Amino acid sequence: MTTTADTAPLCLLADIPDGNAIEIETLVDGEVESLLVYRHGDEARAYFNVCPHAGRRLDYAPGKFLVRAGQIICAAHGATFTAESGDCTAGPCRGDRLRGVPLAVVDGAVRLA
């Protein structure tokens, strides 16, 4: 994955409600990609906005995700993923996982790592 630490931040940590996720579109390896960016306290995790079950987006409406008690739920088929790791714990792709994208939070700014 080709990224540079000196690029503009994806967002501010404060832009993401704690325990929830937002969508960010950004360049990853030269391609515009939709990312789900999840916040837990002072940390953020990012995953490609693609369910491994059928390759559909995870959001139920553009940029709107079902996140409950640290679980990300795919709106299409109900697959449930642990937000901290991306592991699928229930649904049609149990045992699979979301594809992560490395992030860094520096001075409140969320950046590709």
Side-chain angles (χ1 to χ4, degrees):
M1 184 169 309
T2 305
T3 61
T4 58
D6 59 347
T7 59
L10 297 174
C11 64
L12 298 177
L13 192 63
D15 295 337
I16 311 167
D18 197 8
N20 216 319
I22 63 171
E23 178 195 21
I24 300 289
E25 287 194 354
T26 191
L27 283 177
V28 178
D29 290 334
E31 298 288 329
V32 175
E33 299 285 356
S34 171
L35 303 180
L36 174 153
V37 182
Y38 171 80
R39 176 183 174 190
H40 179 75
D42 292 334
E43 297 181 3
R45 304 231 185 316
Y47 303 101
F48 287 97
N49 185 13
V50 177
C51 180
H53 169 240
R56 295 190 52 187
R57 290 173 60 107
L58 295 160
D59 42 3
Y60 64 87
K64 305 284 184 186
F65 299 96
L66 298 170
V67 181
R68 294 192 184 106
Q71 302 290 310
I72 300 164
I73 303 164
C74 175
H77 298 106
T80 303
F81 303 89
T82 303
E84 292 296 318
S85 66
D87 293 331
C88 183
T89 58
C93 55
R94 186 181 190 118
D96 209 338
R97 68 180 337 176
L98 298 174
R99 248 177 79 207
V101 177
L103 291 182
V105 178
V106 180
D107 297 328
V110 179
R111 299 176 180 275
L112 294 173

